[in-house]
């Protein structure tokens, strides 16, 4: 399994979309609300996909995302390695998440060499954390803003 995680990390690190972020999105709810919540994991995945599409469209940038969601005994949250064609407007991206206040969302720059710089094991990287302790899910590989003529014509350069 670790070889697979290392491969995912290599793909993220070497991806042509150069602006890379480590994102945590939280569904903000009280303990009582959480215990009463009947939203399925698949519905939460769809909410994440909708957020990615919205951010891509509003910020006019192509996005690629690797997602890891909560385990059944945890409050709903998702970690995303988010790659963008252009720098993101962080506050606007946080505000676009409709399931909790921007204050409870985190979007940080992803540093591929974070562990190396700090003399940490590769296993302490965000990619290992996401894929070891969360349920992986992959939506579409590219979230296209459909703004450029070639994208609207079905010839998105990132969909190749």
């Amino acid at each position: 399994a670790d070889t697979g995680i290392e491969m995912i990390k290599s793909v993220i690190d070497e991806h042509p979309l150069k602006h890379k972020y480590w994102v945590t999105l939280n569904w903000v709810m009280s303990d009582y609300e959480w215990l009463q919540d009947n939203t399925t994991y698949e519905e939460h995945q769809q909410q994440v996909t909708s957020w990615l599409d919205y951010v891509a469209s509003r910020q006019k940038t192509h996005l690629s995302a690797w997602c890891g969601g909560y385990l059944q005994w945890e409050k709903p949250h998702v970690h995303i390695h988010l790659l963008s064609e252009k720098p993101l407007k962080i506050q606007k991206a946080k505000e676009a998440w409709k399931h909790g206040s921007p204050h409870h969302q985190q979007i940080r720059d992803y540093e591929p060499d974070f562990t190396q710089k700090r003399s940490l094991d590769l296993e302490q990287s965000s990619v290992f954390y996401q894929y070891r302790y969360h349920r992986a899910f992959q939506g579409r590989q590219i979230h296209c803003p459909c703004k450029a003529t070639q994208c609207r014509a079905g010839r998105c350069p990132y969909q190749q």
Side-chain angles (χ1 to χ4, degrees), residues 30-49:
S30 70
D31 289 346
Y32 178 77
E33 291 169 322
W34 174 47
L35 293 172
Q36 302 301 314
D37 186 39
N38 291 323
T39 309
T40 66
Y41 187 74
E42 290 72 26
E43 289 170 307
H44 283 146
Q45 286 178 319
Q46 184 54 50
Q47 291 167 355
V48 171
T49 299

Side-chain angles (χ1 to χ4, degrees), residues 27-142:
W27 283 261
V28 178
M29 57 183 72
S30 70
D31 289 346
Y32 178 77
E33 291 169 322
W34 174 47
L35 293 172
Q36 302 301 314
D37 186 39
N38 291 323
T39 309
T40 66
Y41 187 74
E42 290 72 26
E43 289 170 307
H44 283 146
Q45 286 178 319
Q46 184 54 50
Q47 291 167 355
V48 171
T49 299
S50 295
W51 178 79
L52 290 164
D53 288 340
Y54 183 86
V55 170
S57 176
R58 291 289 187 228
Q59 298 203 21
K60 299 177 175 74
T61 185
H62 290 84
L63 299 176
S64 185
W66 282 263
C67 305
Y70 59 96
L71 301 174
Q72 68 188 51
W73 57 83
E74 298 178 304
K75 281 190 178 177
H77 69 283
V78 65
H79 297 291
I80 306 169
H81 283 87
L82 183 60
L83 287 54
S84 178
E85 174 185 30
K86 301 173 188 169
L88 291 181
K89 296 175 185 96
I90 302 293
Q91 189 60 30
K92 292 216 178 282
K94 287 180 176 185
E95 290 168 359
W97 182 246
K98 300 302 180 201
H99 308 283
S101 73
H103 174 73
H104 292 99
Q105 315 316 317
Q106 295 179 0
I107 302 177
R108 299 182 181 144
D109 288 333
Y110 166 72
E111 300 175 51
D113 57 355
F114 178 88
T115 51
Q116 268 182 315
K117 284 182 185 176
R118 291 159 181 82
S119 301
L120 301 170
D121 292 335
L122 187 60
E123 295 181 1
Q124 293 180 285
S125 74
S126 57
V127 178
F128 272 81
Y129 175 74
Q130 177 175 320
Y131 284 101
R132 272 215 182 126
Y133 303 110
H134 296 81
R135 290 187 279 182
F137 67 90
Q138 175 72 52
R140 289 186 312 284
Q141 185 61 34
I142 293 290

